[in-house]
Amino acid sequence: MSETNFHFETDGEGFAIITWDMPGRSMNLISLAAMEELAEAVERVASDESIKGAIITSAKKDFTGGADITMLASLFGAYEEKFAADEKAARAELLGQSSRLSRIFRRLETCGKPFVAAVKGTSMGGGTELMLACHGRVVADKGTKIGLPEVKIGIFPGAGGTQRVMRMVDAQAGLQFLLQGRTLDAAKAKAMGLVDEVVAEEDLLACAREMLRGGLSPVKPWDEEKYRLKGPAAIFTPAGFQFWPAANALYRKETQDNYPAARLIMQSVFEGLQLPMDQALDVESRYFAKVLTTKEARAMIRSLFVSLQELNKGARRPEGVPPTQFSKIGVIGAGFMGAGIAYVSARAGMEVVLIDREMEAAEKGKAHCESLLAKEVERGRMSEAAAGEVLARIHTTTEYSALAEAELVIEAVFENRQVKADVTQGVANHLGENGIMASNTSTLPITSLAEAYREPAEFVGIHFFSPVDKMLLVEVILGEKTGEKALAVALDYVRAIRKTPIVVNDSRGFYANRCVTAYLLEGHLMLTEGVPAAMIENAGKMAGMPVGPLSLNDEVGLDLGWKIVQATEADLGPEAVSAEQKALLEELVERRQRFGRKNGKGFYDYEGREKRLWPGLADIAAPRNAEKFDIAELKQRLLVTQALEAARTVEEGVITDPREADLGSILGFGFAPFTGGTLSYIDFMGVGAFVKLAEKLAEKHGPRFKPNKLLREMAKKGETFYGRFGADESKAA
Ligand code: NAD
């Protein structure tokens, strides 16, 4: 047999040690070659009478990252043409290929010899399914991470995962594990029943041998004749009757039925549990082949896996600029954002100089970091000693001289042009020659802020989202004169703090906030049309947004919305704002003093953690009968308006790469992830169909829905965003 990915050896006791060590990669992946080698290794164990049992382990730091997702994506890509020619035959062929891993694992499980998985580090997806197919599992006590994260990229564990998990652990815990895609550490996996033993890493093999010596059965419980499912997993029992209707309701609440992968997990589990294992695995395989052909899987794999990796690896980084290692950075303004920036930087190992006007303000910012660290310690995510070290890296001061050595300084002072100009000049006087200056402004053009700096080419926008410690996206904003070094330093920094950067050209509102503003506006207009507030909120969630537009506006602050409307009108004239929205916000903010969650009064009333839609809304915008509105159209309006705004940013050159628009929309403001993002939403619908839909909405609801010139042109030519602007045309929808 070939031993490129797996080394096969037998010891004196007749145990085979199968060691996974993919050549040329830091992480083992399940590739086509690895699959075939594993199949051969299983046959060798099964057929060699001198081999009594086998241990599967890894020579690398981790067990495996799971299936090679790009292989999966191309697997489907290759079937596109075949589908067009002969759909039935193509589906049969796809099923054959996509169920291959499942059949190998089943053969391992039933070959008559016991297998033990000895696992350390990360084990994801197919790797976890391999563990579950083994007859015994031992994992390292430290650093083990076990997960089936497939659902997060629109697919599901199709190599026995849905069937074995549900037969091994409590039904509720099992469903949650499958549907949420969360990672478990060793202790949690053991408590759940997914692993048998937890030992120190150096004892893994000894423990695995001990299990084999102890007479580990090569027959799984579910392959025993008298096997009976327990608890709610036995569907047609009183426990099952209680469990499954509630589980279905929960599934609907969490997913709004937008995710075929989640739905197919439910189906696979529910139907599989009523069958013997072999048929159950067939059911799972069929649903797995089906999920691979959904547009949601393709969109999510493309954005949330392929593009995410590419952008994180620096797809937009200018070549030729040497990478920056950050030892010290400066943050000016220790308010809400500045403190968050100091926190994430110190956590990434950087020394941080945190400056404010008064020492007291700077200390307040540091205290905020301390409370964030305390929460991490409380949740067991960090030791007290490690938290202490992070805090000790944050140095508060009012003196700019402390910035001399910094590689990067980010200002997060008040959103005021003069204040920012003064700060920028202060930095220019003290920052060493190699340092780069950045602004976290959310509304002021970078090009004009850069004029206050000694060298505009060394000035860049680094736009964080709030709260900084949680939000994964950062917009890197290029002013007209921003140079390559400033861009490279900004991108290196964003990676160092483990967030995802998108590169945006300077413009009003940049990218993410423009799209969000469109979402909020649509919610406001629906309210003034008489759509009941609860219906607007539900339409938002049903469309796939994390929260309805009214809730979101309460979080951001209605007063901020009101300020933006006023500023837009002042800068661009009355045509640039909606009269209905202006009247609504003026009434709420100016006359009713409702600012949002911050003062406990917005579209909702807040009491502690409870919130309720404010009954007084009815006086401001009388609701009409909900039956008058078409919920499907409300949902469309909420997504289409954001996608149109994204298309405008492309036409204006604000966004130049569709991957950034898509990922920026999902990570920045939670745009319906199942669509793959704002532009994938359009691409997968088809630009022509999208243009027709937008035109229909424009006729009914106003010119804000008019498709722009770019979209109309693309529709005429039958183009897609990824085809026209994409880095790789073969990945076009
Ligand atoms: P904030 O009011 O909480 O903090 C501003 C801090 O800057 C205060 O601590 C203040 O004392 C300090 N400051 C003011 N003038 C200063 C000076 N001359 N020198 C040193 N420190 C000075 O404001 P924030 O919400 O943290 O916003 C800061 C910046 O970040 C703004 O430009 C804002 O537009 C931007 N931003 C905010 C958000 C958000 O959601 N709040 C999101 C993205 C970007």
Side-chain angles (χ1 to χ4, degrees):
M1 69 175 253
S2 79
E3 290 187 31
T4 312
N5 290 277
F6 291 93
H7 303 301
F8 193 107
E9 51 190 332
T10 39
D11 65 11
E13 282 183 271
F15 298 146
I17 317 290
I18 303 168
T19 308
W20 199 348
D21 193 5
M22 191 176 193
R25 300 288 280 254
S26 57
M27 179 77 98
N28 292 321
L29 290 180
I30 302 179
S31 58
L32 287 175
M35 255 161 47
E36 292 318 316
E37 273 182 45
L38 182 64
E40 286 176 28
V42 170
E43 288 316 321
R44 189 161 157 193
V45 173
S47 60
D48 187 337
E49 285 193 2
S50 68
I51 297 179
K52 296 186 199 129
I55 298 170
I56 302 184
T57 192
S58 159
K60 301 199 193 286
K61 179 169 128 308
D62 299 293
F63 189 57
T64 169
D68 182 345
I69 301 294
T70 34
M71 164 189 90
L72 269 188
S74 63
L75 182 63
F76 178 74
Y79 277 92
E80 269 217 315
E81 279 174 25
K82 295 184 186 173
F83 272 121
D86 181 348
E87 185 171 335
K88 208 169 160 203
R91 280 192 189 280
E93 200 178 316
L94 177 64
L95 175 63
Q97 290 209 17
S98 63
S99 62
R100 176 81 181 116
L101 194 61
S102 184
R103 282 179 281 122
I104 295 170
F105 290 170
R106 182 61 176 154
R107 171 70 180 141
L108 180 156
E109 188 175 56
T110 56
C111 77
K113 301 271 175 74
F115 278 75
V116 178
V119 170
K120 61 184 170 162
T122 298
S123 170
M124 290 293 142
T128 299
E129 293 179 291
L130 169 59
M131 285 174 66
L132 300 181
C134 288
H135 305 87
R137 284 155 293 278
V138 50
V139 303
D141 54 354
K142 295 205 180 95
T144 298
K145 286 185 195 159
I146 296 175
L148 292 172
E150 287 90 336
V151 71
K152 290 188 183 167
I153 52 166
I155 55 178
F156 71 82
T162 65
Q163 299 309 313
R164 295 194 178 92
V165 165
M166 294 306 290
R167 284 164 176 78
M168 291 169 73
V169 311
D170 163 72
Q172 189 173 348
L175 262 190
Q176 270 174 3
F177 183 56
L178 293 167
L179 287 170
Q180 293 174 347
R182 287 219 191 110
T183 301
L184 305 171
D185 61 19
K188 283 202 187 111
K190 168 109 198 275
M192 236 170 102
L194 282 178
V195 306
D196 306 305
E197 301 288 347
V198 177
V199 299
E201 186 180 326
E202 56 272 24
D203 298 331
L204 277 175
L205 285 185
C207 179
R209 282 201 170 87
E210 209 44 55
M211 290 168 89
L212 290 174
R213 280 185 207 121
L216 183 67
S217 169
V219 180
K220 283 286 181 64
W222 45 84
D223 289 320
E224 302 273 8
E225 225 169 76
K226 293 217 168 109
Y227 176 69
R228 290 282 173 274
L229 287 159
K230 291 193 202 81
I235 291 169
F236 295 104
T237 59
F241 285 148
Q242 275 203 348
F243 178 80
W244 292 97
N248 249 334
L250 215 60
Y251 151 78
R252 288 240 163 210
K253 179 169 175 262
E254 296 293 327
T255 66
Q256 307 288 339
D257 211 18
N258 282 326
Y259 294 83
R263 172 182 261 268
L264 293 173
I265 287 176
M266 292 296 282
Q267 278 182 267
S268 177
V269 161
F270 189 81
E271 292 168 27
L273 283 174
Q274 301 175 54
L275 296 166
M277 196 52 149
D278 284 308
Q279 285 94 323
L281 290 172
D282 277 350
V283 166
E284 184 195 72
S285 291
R286 281 174 188 277
Y287 285 136
F288 184 60
K290 183 168 174 179
V291 87
L292 288 178
T293 66
T294 61
K295 69 175 194 286
E296 288 82 358
R298 298 181 63 207
M300 287 176 80
I301 287 176
R302 181 168 78 182
S303 292
L304 292 168
F305 188 85
V306 181
S307 301
L308 184 67
Q309 279 200 346
E310 288 168 354
L311 295 187
N312 285 346
K313 275 190 201 147
R316 298 294 310 278
R317 193 183 183 284
E319 284 168 22
V321 183
T324 305
Q325 300 290 336
F326 295 89
S327 48
K328 188 199 252 186
I329 72 147
V331 178
I332 307 186
F336 184 57
M337 297 302 285
I341 298 168
Y343 170 79
V344 295
S345 306
R347 273 205 77 161
M350 302 168 198
E351 298 292 325
V352 180
V353 175
L354 182 57
I355 296 183
D356 209 298
R357 290 172 300 181
E358 312 281 341
M359 213 33 201
E360 203 185 327
E363 283 298 336
K364 200 171 151 211
K366 186 169 177 179
H368 178 64
C369 300
E370 193 171 3
S371 68
L372 290 174
L373 287 164
K375 267 190 214 142
E376 291 290 278
V377 173
E378 201 180 293
R379 290 184 189 137
R381 293 208 199 117
M382 211 181 201
S383 71
E384 251 179 65
E389 280 168 26
V390 173
L391 200 63
R393 284 198 282 271
I394 301 174
H395 312 279
T396 51
T397 177
T398 55
E399 299 298 327
Y400 282 47
S401 54
L403 298 174
E405 317 264 279
E407 286 92 12
L408 174 69
V409 174
I410 304 170
E411 71 77 13
V413 298
F414 297 141
E415 190 75 341
N416 175 295
R417 204 173 269 283
Q418 191 52 50
V419 176
K420 289 202 187 283
D422 292 345
V423 167
T424 304
Q425 272 157 18
V427 175
N429 294 337
H430 288 89
L431 180 60
E433 261 183 20
N434 282 327
I436 292 293
M437 169 79 197
S439 171
N440 178 45
T441 179
S442 33
T443 54
L444 302 168
I446 292 298
T447 305
S448 63
L449 292 181
E451 282 164 16
Y453 196 55
R454 61 185 184 209
E455 179 45 84
E458 290 165 12
F459 193 101
V460 63
I462 300 187
H463 183 221
F464 285 86
F465 293 84
S466 145
V468 177
D469 58 306
K470 296 221 172 72
M471 297 297 287
L472 295 172
L473 183 75
V474 174
E475 289 180 336
V476 171
I477 318 290
L478 297 178
E480 265 167 30
K481 294 193 178 145
T482 302
E484 291 208 330
K485 177 171 176 202
L487 169 61
V489 169
L491 291 175
D492 290 348
Y493 168 73
V494 175
R495 273 325 290 153
I497 57 169
R498 288 179 216 101
K499 296 195 188 287
T500 298
I502 63 169
V503 180
V504 179
N505 286 318
D506 207 5
S507 80
R508 200 182 179 83
F510 310 133
Y511 169 67
N513 285 349
R514 273 179 70 168
C515 299
V516 175
T517 306
Y519 180 57
L520 299 182
L521 170 64
E522 209 51 36
H524 295 159
L525 294 180
M526 285 177 180
L527 196 73
T528 59
E529 281 165 32
V531 183
M535 193 173 187
I536 299 171
E537 295 291 83
N538 285 337
K541 283 188 271 181
M542 289 165 77
M545 298 299 291
V547 290
L550 307 180
S551 289
L552 181 61
N553 205 170
D554 271 4
E555 297 299 328
V556 181
L558 302 190
D559 54 336
L560 184 66
W562 172 228
K563 256 194 219 158
I564 292 173
V565 168
Q566 287 172 295
T568 311
E569 186 171 22
D571 292 352
L572 307 176
E575 296 290 295
V577 300
S578 144
E580 291 86 353
Q581 181 185 42
K582 187 181 160 197
L584 175 69
L585 287 174
E586 188 170 11
E587 177 70 30
L588 287 164
V589 177
E590 294 288 337
R591 286 194 262 292
R592 313 270 183 152
Q593 303 291 301
R594 302 190 72 88
F595 303 150
R597 188 188 274 279
K598 62 173 85 161
N599 77 339
K601 295 188 297 185
F603 288 109
Y604 289 76
D605 281 328
Y606 296 83
E607 246 186 71
R609 303 189 82 191
E610 297 286 308
K611 67 175 193 180
R612 250 165 226 291
L613 277 162
W614 175 47
L617 275 180
D619 304 333
I620 295 178
R624 295 163 63 202
N625 189 338
E627 313 250 318
K628 295 222 174 306
F629 301 97
D630 175 4
I631 189 79
E633 192 193 88
L634 295 179
K635 281 164 56 180
Q636 279 170 342
R637 282 172 63 181
L638 290 169
L639 294 189
V640 168
T641 189
Q642 297 180 72
L644 278 168
E645 195 60 27
R648 286 180 202 120
T649 65
V650 176
E651 183 172 281
E652 292 163 26
V654 175
I655 286 279
T656 54
D657 184 328
R659 296 173 297 182
E660 297 187 311
D662 275 344
L663 215 49
S665 70
I666 298 176
L667 300 182
F669 50 98
F671 184 85
F674 65 89
T675 63
T678 42
L679 297 185
S680 281
Y681 172 67
I682 300 176
D683 271 4
F684 279 100
M685 185 185 297
V687 178
F690 179 83
V691 163
K692 270 202 197 115
L693 174 61
E695 278 168 348
K696 195 179 89 189
L697 292 172
E699 216 166 90
K700 209 165 155 195
H701 299 286
R704 67 184 177 285
F705 282 108
K706 266 198 181 150
N708 61 4
K709 192 164 154 261
L710 171 69
L711 279 168
R712 280 182 277 123
E713 187 187 308
M714 285 172 61
K716 221 181 259 166
K717 292 187 182 161
E719 290 177 333
T720 62
F721 280 97
Y722 278 70
R724 180 166 168 144
F725 300 98
D728 179 355
E729 297 207 0
S730 67
K731 291 194 200 117

